[in-house]
Amino acid sequence: TSAEAVCVVTGAAGFVGSHLCERLLGLGCRVMGVDNFFSGRWENLTPFRDHPRFSFLERSVTEPGLLREIAAEHGPLACVFHLAAIVSVPYSVDHPEETWAVNYQSTIGLLQEAGRLGCARFVFAGSAAEYGDDARLPLRESYAGDQTSWLSPYGEAKYRSSRAVAACGDGPRGVALRCFNIFGPRQDPSSPYSGVISRFAEMAVRGEALTIFGDGHQSRDFVYVSDVVDAYCRAAGLVASAPEVPAGIYNVGSGTRTTILELARMILSLTERGESIRFYAERPGDIRHSVACIDAIQAVMAWRPRVSLEEGLRETLRWM
Ligand code: UD2
C-alpha cells in the first residue's frame, strides 16, 4: 500500500523530520510534509522539495481538520508520523500553555482524526525528557511517570502524549519512540540550547574554543539521526524484513554513555585541533547522566544502532 497511501510527516522541515521524509521517499512512499516553520527551516526541505511524490502544507498541528484535509485531497493515509513540537525545553518553561497545546493537545487531536480516517499507524516523537532526572540507569521504558513533579512542561507533554499514543484502543496502532540525544547533519547549532554536538562541531570548524557547561563529566546517550529514522520506519511497518511492531513505547538510543568532556576531545581530535576547551558554570536544570536501555526496541523491532559516534561525528563535521 505504500505506493498509493500517503505518509504524513509533521515537523517535516525540522532536523529529524526532513531526514525522515527523505528516507520515506527513498522507500517509494508518497509523503505529505507539514510544518509551520516555528523552528523548522525551508533549507531542510531543499534536497527533496521537488520530488514527484512529495507534497507540503505550511500549517500548525494545532489547527483542527488537518488530516481530513490531506485525506480529502490525497486519499487514504498509511501512517502519521507526528514530530512537530516546541523543541526547546527552556522555551517550554516560559510558555507552558503554548507547549501543552502544541506538544500534547495536537497529539490527541491528530490521533482522533487519524482514527476517524481509518489510518492504521501512528508514530510519535517521544523524548528522553519523559524520564525527568531519574538516577536509575540505564533508563527503562517503565520508569517514566513515577515522579510527581516534572522537570519541564516539555517533558510532561511528551510523556502524556507517548502514553496516549501507545494506548490507542481502536484507533491507529500507536508507537512512541523515546529518543535520546539525536545528532547529525541539519541540526541547528545557532542557539545556546542547540544540541551539544551541533554546537561543538560549529565551534571546532570555526576554530573557536569548545564551551563546556559544568565539569564535563556529565554524560549523555548520543544516537545518530539515520538510526533514528530507521526506527521510525520499522515502527511504521515499512521495513519489509522487520517484524510487526505492537503498540507501545520504545527507547531509541545508542545504549552507551559518553561524557561531554570525551565528546569535546573526540571532536577536537577529528578536526585536528589542540585541547581548546573553556569551562563555564553548569547549566541550571541540567541532568547529570542519561543512558537508554534499548532491549525493548532490539527485541521488538530488530533495531540496533549502526552508526558509531565517531562515524556520525565525521558526517556531521563534513556537513558543517
Ligand atoms: C536533551 C534535549 C532536550 C531534552 C533533554 C531531556 C537536545 C538538543 N536536547 O537535552 O530537548 O529532551 O535532553 O533530558 O537533544 N553542553 C555543554 N556545552 C554546550 C552545550 C551543551 O557543555 O555548548 C552540555 C549541557 O550542559 C548538557 C550536555 O552538554 O550537560 C547535553 O546538552 P544538550 O543541550 O545537547 O542536550 P540535553 O541532554 O541537555
Side-chain angles (χ1 to χ4, degrees), residues 87 89 127-129 132 154 179-182 187 192-197 199-200 203 211-214 218 220 222 260 283 286-287:
V87 294
V89 173
S127 165
Y154 175 87
C179 299
F180 280 63
N181 290 64
I182 310 171
Q187 190 171 29
Y193 299 103
S194 296
V196 62
I197 291 182
R199 283 176 51 83
F200 281 4
M203 290 166 190
T211 58
I212 290 187
F213 303 140
Q218 71 270 41
R220 293 293 185 273
F222 296 104
I260 300 307
R283 215 164 56 175
D286 228 15
I287 61 168

PDB file of all heavy atoms in Angstrom, residues 87 89 127-129 132 154 179-182 187 192-197 199-200 203 211-214 218 220 222 260 283 286-287, ligand 1:
ATOM      1  N   VAL A  87      10.402  22.444  20.500  1.00  0.00           N
ATOM      2  CA  VAL A  87      11.517  21.542  20.812  1.00  0.00           C
ATOM      3  C   VAL A  87      12.450  22.079  21.891  1.00  0.00           C
ATOM      4  O   VAL A  87      13.320  21.354  22.361  1.00  0.00           O
ATOM      5  CB  VAL A  87      12.346  21.206  19.543  1.00  0.00           C
ATOM      6  CG1 VAL A  87      11.498  20.402  18.578  1.00  0.00           C
ATOM      7  CG2 VAL A  87      12.899  22.456  18.878  1.00  0.00           C
ATOM      8  N   VAL A  89      13.362  23.069  25.529  1.00  0.00           N
ATOM      9  CA  VAL A  89      12.940  22.873  26.921  1.00  0.00           C
ATOM     10  C   VAL A  89      12.818  24.220  27.659  1.00  0.00           C
ATOM     11  O   VAL A  89      11.798  24.466  28.312  1.00  0.00           O
ATOM     12  CB  VAL A  89      13.885  21.894  27.649  1.00  0.00           C
ATOM     13  CG1 VAL A  89      13.550  21.817  29.131  1.00  0.00           C
ATOM     14  CG2 VAL A  89      13.799  20.517  27.013  1.00  0.00           C
ATOM     15  N   SER A 127      10.484  11.521  23.930  1.00  0.00           N
ATOM     16  CA  SER A 127      11.767  12.119  24.305  1.00  0.00           C
ATOM     17  C   SER A 127      12.301  11.533  25.610  1.00  0.00           C
ATOM     18  O   SER A 127      11.532  11.171  26.507  1.00  0.00           O
ATOM     19  CB  SER A 127      11.583  13.621  24.487  1.00  0.00           C
ATOM     20  OG  SER A 127      12.690  14.190  25.165  1.00  0.00           O
ATOM     21  N   ALA A 128      13.613  11.527  25.716  1.00  0.00           N
ATOM     22  CA  ALA A 128      14.257  11.135  26.971  1.00  0.00           C
ATOM     23  C   ALA A 128      13.832  12.061  28.109  1.00  0.00           C
ATOM     24  O   ALA A 128      13.916  11.689  29.283  1.00  0.00           O
ATOM     25  CB  ALA A 128      15.771  11.174  26.810  1.00  0.00           C
ATOM     26  N   ALA A 129      13.353  13.255  27.764  1.00  0.00           N
ATOM     27  CA  ALA A 129      12.885  14.202  28.779  1.00  0.00           C
ATOM     28  C   ALA A 129      11.712  13.637  29.571  1.00  0.00           C
ATOM     29  O   ALA A 129      11.411  14.105  30.672  1.00  0.00           O
ATOM     30  CB  ALA A 129      12.482  15.522  28.128  1.00  0.00           C
ATOM     31  N   GLY A 132      12.498  12.748  33.142  1.00  0.00           N
ATOM     32  CA  GLY A 132      12.927  13.739  34.126  1.00  0.00           C
ATOM     33  C   GLY A 132      14.354  13.442  34.537  1.00  0.00           C
ATOM     34  O   GLY A 132      15.157  12.988  33.724  1.00  0.00           O
ATOM     35  N   TYR A 154       7.771  20.612  28.751  1.00  0.00           N
ATOM     36  CA  TYR A 154       8.153  19.805  27.587  1.00  0.00           C
ATOM     37  C   TYR A 154       8.128  18.315  27.942  1.00  0.00           C
ATOM     38  O   TYR A 154       7.511  17.509  27.247  1.00  0.00           O
ATOM     39  CB  TYR A 154       9.550  20.232  27.119  1.00  0.00           C
ATOM     40  CG  TYR A 154      10.117  19.402  25.990  1.00  0.00           C
ATOM     41  CD1 TYR A 154       9.837  19.709  24.669  1.00  0.00           C
ATOM     42  CD2 TYR A 154      10.936  18.307  26.256  1.00  0.00           C
ATOM     43  CE1 TYR A 154      10.356  18.937  23.640  1.00  0.00           C
ATOM     44  CE2 TYR A 154      11.454  17.538  25.240  1.00  0.00           C
ATOM     45  CZ  TYR A 154      11.168  17.854  23.926  1.00  0.00           C
ATOM     46  OH  TYR A 154      11.682  17.082  22.919  1.00  0.00           O
ATOM     47  N   CYS A 179      13.226   9.200  22.064  1.00  0.00           N
ATOM     48  CA  CYS A 179      14.562   9.396  21.505  1.00  0.00           C
ATOM     49  C   CYS A 179      15.463  10.099  22.511  1.00  0.00           C
ATOM     50  O   CYS A 179      15.052  11.044  23.175  1.00  0.00           O
ATOM     51  CB  CYS A 179      14.475  10.205  20.221  1.00  0.00           C
ATOM     52  SG  CYS A 179      13.484   9.356  18.976  1.00  0.00           S
ATOM     53  N   PHE A 180      16.711   9.625  22.592  1.00  0.00           N
ATOM     54  CA  PHE A 180      17.691  10.247  23.469  1.00  0.00           C
ATOM     55  C   PHE A 180      18.376  11.387  22.705  1.00  0.00           C
ATOM     56  O   PHE A 180      17.697  12.089  21.978  1.00  0.00           O
ATOM     57  CB  PHE A 180      18.605   9.166  24.074  1.00  0.00           C
ATOM     58  CG  PHE A 180      17.911   8.484  25.235  1.00  0.00           C
ATOM     59  CD1 PHE A 180      16.734   7.759  25.041  1.00  0.00           C
ATOM     60  CD2 PHE A 180      18.376   8.629  26.527  1.00  0.00           C
ATOM     61  CE1 PHE A 180      16.041   7.183  26.100  1.00  0.00           C
ATOM     62  CE2 PHE A 180      17.694   8.056  27.599  1.00  0.00           C
ATOM     63  CZ  PHE A 180      16.532   7.334  27.383  1.00  0.00           C
ATOM     64  N   ASN A 181      19.659  11.633  22.864  1.00  0.00           N
ATOM     65  CA  ASN A 181      20.262  12.824  22.244  1.00  0.00           C
ATOM     66  C   ASN A 181      20.614  12.565  20.778  1.00  0.00           C
ATOM     67  O   ASN A 181      21.648  11.977  20.472  1.00  0.00           O
ATOM     68  CB  ASN A 181      21.493  13.257  23.037  1.00  0.00           C
ATOM     69  CG  ASN A 181      21.122  13.823  24.399  1.00  0.00           C
ATOM     70  OD1 ASN A 181      20.585  13.113  25.244  1.00  0.00           O
ATOM     71  ND2 ASN A 181      21.372  15.092  24.615  1.00  0.00           N
ATOM     72  N   ILE A 182      19.726  13.001  19.901  1.00  0.00           N
ATOM     73  CA  ILE A 182      19.910  12.769  18.463  1.00  0.00           C
ATOM     74  C   ILE A 182      20.906  13.790  17.918  1.00  0.00           C
ATOM     75  O   ILE A 182      20.889  14.954  18.320  1.00  0.00           O
ATOM     76  CB  ILE A 182      18.567  12.905  17.725  1.00  0.00           C
ATOM     77  CG1 ILE A 182      17.482  12.067  18.414  1.00  0.00           C
ATOM     78  CG2 ILE A 182      18.709  12.508  16.260  1.00  0.00           C
ATOM     79  CD1 ILE A 182      16.085  12.316  17.864  1.00  0.00           C
ATOM     80  N   GLN A 187      21.128  19.586  12.131  1.00  0.00           N
ATOM     81  CA  GLN A 187      20.748  20.027  13.481  1.00  0.00           C
ATOM     82  C   GLN A 187      21.264  21.455  13.627  1.00  0.00           C
ATOM     83  O   GLN A 187      22.442  21.714  13.415  1.00  0.00           O
ATOM     84  CB  GLN A 187      21.373  19.113  14.529  1.00  0.00           C
ATOM     85  CG  GLN A 187      20.808  19.373  15.919  1.00  0.00           C
ATOM     86  CD  GLN A 187      21.267  18.319  16.916  1.00  0.00           C
ATOM     87  OE1 GLN A 187      22.347  17.747  16.762  1.00  0.00           O
ATOM     88  NE2 GLN A 187      20.465  18.069  17.930  1.00  0.00           N
ATOM     89  N   PRO A 192      22.012  28.720  22.195  1.00  0.00           N
ATOM     90  CA  PRO A 192      22.771  28.126  23.303  1.00  0.00           C
ATOM     91  C   PRO A 192      22.168  26.790  23.748  1.00  0.00           C
ATOM     92  O   PRO A 192      22.827  25.998  24.400  1.00  0.00           O
ATOM     93  CB  PRO A 192      22.670  29.158  24.428  1.00  0.00           C
ATOM     94  CG  PRO A 192      21.902  30.308  23.922  1.00  0.00           C
ATOM     95  CD  PRO A 192      21.469  30.044  22.524  1.00  0.00           C
ATOM     96  N   TYR A 193      20.882  26.543  23.408  1.00  0.00           N
ATOM     97  CA  TYR A 193      20.226  25.300  23.795  1.00  0.00           C
ATOM     98  C   TYR A 193      20.201  24.289  22.659  1.00  0.00           C
ATOM     99  O   TYR A 193      19.537  23.265  22.751  1.00  0.00           O
ATOM    100  CB  TYR A 193      18.810  25.578  24.311  1.00  0.00           C
ATOM    101  CG  TYR A 193      18.854  26.452  25.521  1.00  0.00           C
ATOM    102  CD1 TYR A 193      18.551  27.804  25.435  1.00  0.00           C
ATOM    103  CD2 TYR A 193      19.271  25.939  26.753  1.00  0.00           C
ATOM    104  CE1 TYR A 193      18.639  28.618  26.542  1.00  0.00           C
ATOM    105  CE2 TYR A 193      19.365  26.742  27.859  1.00  0.00           C
ATOM    106  CZ  TYR A 193      19.040  28.084  27.758  1.00  0.00           C
ATOM    107  OH  TYR A 193      19.133  28.890  28.859  1.00  0.00           O
ATOM    108  N   SER A 194      20.906  24.588  21.569  1.00  0.00           N
ATOM    109  CA  SER A 194      21.008  23.603  20.493  1.00  0.00           C
ATOM    110  C   SER A 194      21.768  22.402  21.017  1.00  0.00           C
ATOM    111  O   SER A 194      22.496  22.494  22.000  1.00  0.00           O
ATOM    112  CB  SER A 194      21.767  24.207  19.319  1.00  0.00           C
ATOM    113  OG  SER A 194      21.071  25.294  18.774  1.00  0.00           O
ATOM    114  N   GLY A 195      21.633  21.282  20.320  1.00  0.00           N
ATOM    115  CA  GLY A 195      22.320  20.067  20.729  1.00  0.00           C
ATOM    116  C   GLY A 195      23.814  20.308  20.855  1.00  0.00           C
ATOM    117  O   GLY A 195      24.410  21.021  20.045  1.00  0.00           O
ATOM    118  N   VAL A 196      24.395  19.718  21.874  1.00  0.00           N
ATOM    119  CA  VAL A 196      25.798  19.974  22.174  1.00  0.00           C
ATOM    120  C   VAL A 196      26.697  19.592  20.992  1.00  0.00           C
ATOM    121  O   VAL A 196      27.690  20.274  20.718  1.00  0.00           O
ATOM    122  CB  VAL A 196      26.210  19.260  23.479  1.00  0.00           C
ATOM    123  CG1 VAL A 196      26.080  17.745  23.373  1.00  0.00           C
ATOM    124  CG2 VAL A 196      27.617  19.631  23.885  1.00  0.00           C
ATOM    125  N   ILE A 197      26.345  18.544  20.258  1.00  0.00           N
ATOM    126  CA  ILE A 197      27.219  18.133  19.151  1.00  0.00           C
ATOM    127  C   ILE A 197      27.205  19.157  18.024  1.00  0.00           C
ATOM    128  O   ILE A 197      28.254  19.506  17.486  1.00  0.00           O
ATOM    129  CB  ILE A 197      26.841  16.717  18.644  1.00  0.00           C
ATOM    130  CG1 ILE A 197      27.215  15.700  19.734  1.00  0.00           C
ATOM    131  CG2 ILE A 197      27.524  16.401  17.315  1.00  0.00           C
ATOM    132  CD1 ILE A 197      26.957  14.247  19.395  1.00  0.00           C
ATOM    133  N   ARG A 199      26.675  22.284  18.342  1.00  0.00           N
ATOM    134  CA  ARG A 199      27.417  23.456  18.828  1.00  0.00           C
ATOM    135  C   ARG A 199      28.925  23.217  18.799  1.00  0.00           C
ATOM    136  O   ARG A 199      29.690  24.040  18.293  1.00  0.00           O
ATOM    137  CB  ARG A 199      26.970  23.810  20.258  1.00  0.00           C
ATOM    138  CG  ARG A 199      25.617  24.534  20.286  1.00  0.00           C
ATOM    139  CD  ARG A 199      25.135  24.795  21.699  1.00  0.00           C
ATOM    140  NE  ARG A 199      26.116  25.434  22.564  1.00  0.00           N
ATOM    141  CZ  ARG A 199      26.349  26.751  22.622  1.00  0.00           C
ATOM    142  NH1 ARG A 199      25.691  27.575  21.824  1.00  0.00           N
ATOM    143  NH2 ARG A 199      27.225  27.241  23.469  1.00  0.00           N
ATOM    144  N   PHE A 200      29.351  22.076  19.331  1.00  0.00           N
ATOM    145  CA  PHE A 200      30.785  21.773  19.345  1.00  0.00           C
ATOM    146  C   PHE A 200      31.339  21.679  17.921  1.00  0.00           C
ATOM    147  O   PHE A 200      32.446  22.150  17.638  1.00  0.00           O
ATOM    148  CB  PHE A 200      31.047  20.452  20.090  1.00  0.00           C
ATOM    149  CG  PHE A 200      31.021  20.555  21.590  1.00  0.00           C
ATOM    150  CD1 PHE A 200      30.688  21.750  22.230  1.00  0.00           C
ATOM    151  CD2 PHE A 200      31.337  19.450  22.377  1.00  0.00           C
ATOM    152  CE1 PHE A 200      30.664  21.838  23.625  1.00  0.00           C
ATOM    153  CE2 PHE A 200      31.317  19.528  23.772  1.00  0.00           C
ATOM    154  CZ  PHE A 200      30.976  20.719  24.395  1.00  0.00           C
ATOM    155  N   MET A 203      31.769  25.185  16.574  1.00  0.00           N
ATOM    156  CA  MET A 203      32.879  25.878  17.228  1.00  0.00           C
ATOM    157  C   MET A 203      34.221  25.342  16.727  1.00  0.00           C
ATOM    158  O   MET A 203      35.151  26.109  16.463  1.00  0.00           O
ATOM    159  CB  MET A 203      32.793  25.692  18.748  1.00  0.00           C
ATOM    160  CG  MET A 203      31.626  26.431  19.385  1.00  0.00           C
ATOM    161  SD  MET A 203      31.362  25.813  21.086  1.00  0.00           S
ATOM    162  CE  MET A 203      29.804  26.589  21.457  1.00  0.00           C
ATOM    163  N   THR A 211      32.796  25.157  24.413  1.00  0.00           N
ATOM    164  CA  THR A 211      32.294  25.632  25.712  1.00  0.00           C
ATOM    165  C   THR A 211      31.667  24.478  26.471  1.00  0.00           C
ATOM    166  O   THR A 211      30.661  23.912  26.037  1.00  0.00           O
ATOM    167  CB  THR A 211      31.219  26.700  25.492  1.00  0.00           C
ATOM    168  OG1 THR A 211      30.171  26.119  24.701  1.00  0.00           O
ATOM    169  CG2 THR A 211      31.763  27.916  24.755  1.00  0.00           C
ATOM    170  N   ILE A 212      32.241  24.106  27.600  1.00  0.00           N
ATOM    171  CA  ILE A 212      31.637  23.060  28.434  1.00  0.00           C
ATOM    172  C   ILE A 212      30.951  23.710  29.632  1.00  0.00           C
ATOM    173  O   ILE A 212      31.558  24.507  30.340  1.00  0.00           O
ATOM    174  CB  ILE A 212      32.682  22.025  28.891  1.00  0.00           C
ATOM    175  CG1 ILE A 212      33.136  21.192  27.688  1.00  0.00           C
ATOM    176  CG2 ILE A 212      32.116  21.131  30.003  1.00  0.00           C
ATOM    177  CD1 ILE A 212      34.044  20.018  28.047  1.00  0.00           C
ATOM    178  N   PHE A 213      29.665  23.373  29.824  1.00  0.00           N
ATOM    179  CA  PHE A 213      28.908  23.880  30.974  1.00  0.00           C
ATOM    180  C   PHE A 213      29.054  22.882  32.116  1.00  0.00           C
ATOM    181  O   PHE A 213      28.566  21.761  32.026  1.00  0.00           O
ATOM    182  CB  PHE A 213      27.432  24.067  30.609  1.00  0.00           C
ATOM    183  CG  PHE A 213      27.214  24.985  29.430  1.00  0.00           C
ATOM    184  CD1 PHE A 213      26.240  24.693  28.475  1.00  0.00           C
ATOM    185  CD2 PHE A 213      27.978  26.145  29.258  1.00  0.00           C
ATOM    186  CE1 PHE A 213      26.032  25.529  27.390  1.00  0.00           C
ATOM    187  CE2 PHE A 213      27.776  26.983  28.169  1.00  0.00           C
ATOM    188  CZ  PHE A 213      26.803  26.678  27.225  1.00  0.00           C
ATOM    189  N   GLY A 214      29.738  23.292  33.183  1.00  0.00           N
ATOM    190  CA  GLY A 214      29.989  22.372  34.301  1.00  0.00           C
ATOM    191  C   GLY A 214      31.358  21.724  34.133  1.00  0.00           C
ATOM    192  O   GLY A 214      32.203  22.211  33.390  1.00  0.00           O
ATOM    193  N   GLN A 218      29.385  15.145  33.128  1.00  0.00           N
ATOM    194  CA  GLN A 218      28.006  14.704  32.872  1.00  0.00           C
ATOM    195  C   GLN A 218      27.997  13.898  31.572  1.00  0.00           C
ATOM    196  O   GLN A 218      28.823  14.123  30.691  1.00  0.00           O
ATOM    197  CB  GLN A 218      27.032  15.893  32.807  1.00  0.00           C
ATOM    198  CG  GLN A 218      27.131  16.805  31.594  1.00  0.00           C
ATOM    199  CD  GLN A 218      28.084  17.965  31.779  1.00  0.00           C
ATOM    200  OE1 GLN A 218      29.155  17.814  32.344  1.00  0.00           O
ATOM    201  NE2 GLN A 218      27.727  19.141  31.253  1.00  0.00           N
ATOM    202  N   ARG A 220      25.761  11.672  28.316  1.00  0.00           N
ATOM    203  CA  ARG A 220      24.546  11.546  27.518  1.00  0.00           C
ATOM    204  C   ARG A 220      24.645  10.336  26.602  1.00  0.00           C
ATOM    205  O   ARG A 220      25.727   9.821  26.353  1.00  0.00           O
ATOM    206  CB  ARG A 220      24.339  12.804  26.646  1.00  0.00           C
ATOM    207  CG  ARG A 220      24.046  14.088  27.417  1.00  0.00           C
ATOM    208  CD  ARG A 220      22.711  14.043  28.121  1.00  0.00           C
ATOM    209  NE  ARG A 220      22.370  15.314  28.752  1.00  0.00           N
ATOM    210  CZ  ARG A 220      22.747  15.672  29.979  1.00  0.00           C
ATOM    211  NH1 ARG A 220      23.493  14.861  30.708  1.00  0.00           N
ATOM    212  NH2 ARG A 220      22.377  16.838  30.471  1.00  0.00           N
ATOM    213  N   PHE A 222      24.145   9.465  22.893  1.00  0.00           N
ATOM    214  CA  PHE A 222      24.032  10.098  21.578  1.00  0.00           C
ATOM    215  C   PHE A 222      23.680   9.061  20.514  1.00  0.00           C
ATOM    216  O   PHE A 222      24.322   8.021  20.407  1.00  0.00           O
ATOM    217  CB  PHE A 222      25.345  10.791  21.204  1.00  0.00           C
ATOM    218  CG  PHE A 222      25.694  11.921  22.131  1.00  0.00           C
ATOM    219  CD1 PHE A 222      26.685  11.775  23.093  1.00  0.00           C
ATOM    220  CD2 PHE A 222      25.008  13.127  22.070  1.00  0.00           C
ATOM    221  CE1 PHE A 222      27.002  12.805  23.968  1.00  0.00           C
ATOM    222  CE2 PHE A 222      25.311  14.167  22.943  1.00  0.00           C
ATOM    223  CZ  PHE A 222      26.307  14.008  23.894  1.00  0.00           C
ATOM    224  N   ILE A 260      30.592  14.635  28.299  1.00  0.00           N
ATOM    225  CA  ILE A 260      30.722  15.817  27.449  1.00  0.00           C
ATOM    226  C   ILE A 260      32.202  16.127  27.195  1.00  0.00           C
ATOM    227  O   ILE A 260      32.578  16.563  26.106  1.00  0.00           O
ATOM    228  CB  ILE A 260      29.974  17.004  28.092  1.00  0.00           C
ATOM    229  CG1 ILE A 260      28.477  16.662  28.243  1.00  0.00           C
ATOM    230  CG2 ILE A 260      30.146  18.286  27.289  1.00  0.00           C
ATOM    231  CD1 ILE A 260      27.782  16.193  26.974  1.00  0.00           C
ATOM    232  N   ARG A 283      24.818  24.389  33.594  1.00  0.00           N
ATOM    233  CA  ARG A 283      23.526  24.927  33.140  1.00  0.00           C
ATOM    234  C   ARG A 283      22.455  24.595  34.162  1.00  0.00           C
ATOM    235  O   ARG A 283      22.335  23.433  34.560  1.00  0.00           O
ATOM    236  CB  ARG A 283      23.196  24.281  31.800  1.00  0.00           C
ATOM    237  CG  ARG A 283      22.495  25.165  30.846  1.00  0.00           C
ATOM    238  CD  ARG A 283      22.548  24.632  29.437  1.00  0.00           C
ATOM    239  NE  ARG A 283      22.028  23.274  29.301  1.00  0.00           N
ATOM    240  CZ  ARG A 283      21.897  22.665  28.131  1.00  0.00           C
ATOM    241  NH1 ARG A 283      22.244  23.273  27.026  1.00  0.00           N
ATOM    242  NH2 ARG A 283      21.422  21.452  28.072  1.00  0.00           N
ATOM    243  N   ASP A 286      20.209  21.201  34.392  1.00  0.00           N
ATOM    244  CA  ASP A 286      20.873  20.140  33.637  1.00  0.00           C
ATOM    245  C   ASP A 286      20.764  18.820  34.393  1.00  0.00           C
ATOM    246  O   ASP A 286      20.943  18.790  35.602  1.00  0.00           O
ATOM    247  CB  ASP A 286      22.369  20.488  33.505  1.00  0.00           C
ATOM    248  CG  ASP A 286      22.877  20.327  32.078  1.00  0.00           C
ATOM    249  OD1 ASP A 286      22.041  20.239  31.166  1.00  0.00           O
ATOM    250  OD2 ASP A 286      24.106  20.300  31.901  1.00  0.00           O
ATOM    251  N   ILE A 287      20.469  17.738  33.681  1.00  0.00           N
ATOM    252  CA  ILE A 287      20.534  16.438  34.356  1.00  0.00           C
ATOM    253  C   ILE A 287      21.977  15.956  34.307  1.00  0.00           C
ATOM    254  O   ILE A 287      22.765  16.423  33.486  1.00  0.00           O
ATOM    255  CB  ILE A 287      19.567  15.406  33.746  1.00  0.00           C
ATOM    256  CG1 ILE A 287      19.895  15.135  32.272  1.00  0.00           C
ATOM    257  CG2 ILE A 287      18.130  15.866  33.876  1.00  0.00           C
ATOM    258  CD1 ILE A 287      19.159  13.941  31.723  1.00  0.00           C
TER     259      ILE A 287
HETATM  260  C1  UD2 B   1      18.277  16.961  25.644  1.00  0.00           C
HETATM  261  C2  UD2 B   1      17.379  17.520  24.571  1.00  0.00           C
HETATM  262  C3  UD2 B   1      16.215  18.240  25.192  1.00  0.00           C
HETATM  263  C4  UD2 B   1      15.519  17.354  26.203  1.00  0.00           C
HETATM  264  C5  UD2 B   1      16.527  16.835  27.226  1.00  0.00           C
HETATM  265  C6  UD2 B   1      15.907  15.848  28.180  1.00  0.00           C
HETATM  266  C7  UD2 B   1      18.726  18.054  22.616  1.00  0.00           C
HETATM  267  C8  UD2 B   1      19.361  19.121  21.807  1.00  0.00           C
HETATM  268  N1  UD2 B   1      18.087  18.452  23.733  1.00  0.00           N
HETATM  269  O1  UD2 B   1      18.872  17.998  26.363  1.00  0.00           O
HETATM  270  O2  UD2 B   1      15.317  18.621  24.176  1.00  0.00           O
HETATM  271  O3  UD2 B   1      14.896  16.286  25.535  1.00  0.00           O
HETATM  272  O4  UD2 B   1      17.581  16.149  26.547  1.00  0.00           O
HETATM  273  O5  UD2 B   1      16.823  15.428  29.112  1.00  0.00           O
HETATM  274  O6  UD2 B   1      18.737  16.880  22.263  1.00  0.00           O
HETATM  275  N2  UD2 B   1      26.610  21.390  26.899  1.00  0.00           N
HETATM  276  C9  UD2 B   1      27.872  21.940  27.036  1.00  0.00           C
HETATM  277  N3  UD2 B   1      28.246  22.919  26.163  1.00  0.00           N
HETATM  278  C10 UD2 B   1      27.425  23.365  25.159  1.00  0.00           C
HETATM  279  C11 UD2 B   1      26.140  22.801  25.032  1.00  0.00           C
HETATM  280  C12 UD2 B   1      25.765  21.821  25.929  1.00  0.00           C
HETATM  281  O7  UD2 B   1      28.635  21.579  27.917  1.00  0.00           O
HETATM  282  O8  UD2 B   1      27.853  24.248  24.403  1.00  0.00           O
HETATM  283  C13 UD2 B   1      26.226  20.328  27.817  1.00  0.00           C
HETATM  284  C14 UD2 B   1      24.914  20.597  28.508  1.00  0.00           C
HETATM  285  O9  UD2 B   1      25.109  21.382  29.647  1.00  0.00           O
HETATM  286  C15 UD2 B   1      24.462  19.178  28.823  1.00  0.00           C
HETATM  287  C16 UD2 B   1      25.016  18.348  27.659  1.00  0.00           C
HETATM  288  O10 UD2 B   1      26.026  19.145  27.063  1.00  0.00           O
HETATM  289  O11 UD2 B   1      25.028  18.727  30.021  1.00  0.00           O
HETATM  290  C17 UD2 B   1      23.988  18.000  26.616  1.00  0.00           C
HETATM  291  O12 UD2 B   1      23.292  19.181  26.285  1.00  0.00           O
HETATM  292  P1  UD2 B   1      22.198  19.242  25.107  1.00  0.00           P
HETATM  293  O13 UD2 B   1      21.589  20.595  25.156  1.00  0.00           O
HETATM  294  O14 UD2 B   1      22.781  18.771  23.833  1.00  0.00           O
HETATM  295  O15 UD2 B   1      21.153  18.116  25.493  1.00  0.00           O
HETATM  296  P2  UD2 B   1      20.353  17.829  26.866  1.00  0.00           P
HETATM  297  O16 UD2 B   1      20.644  16.410  27.191  1.00  0.00           O
HETATM  298  O17 UD2 B   1      20.577  18.837  27.895  1.00  0.00           O
END
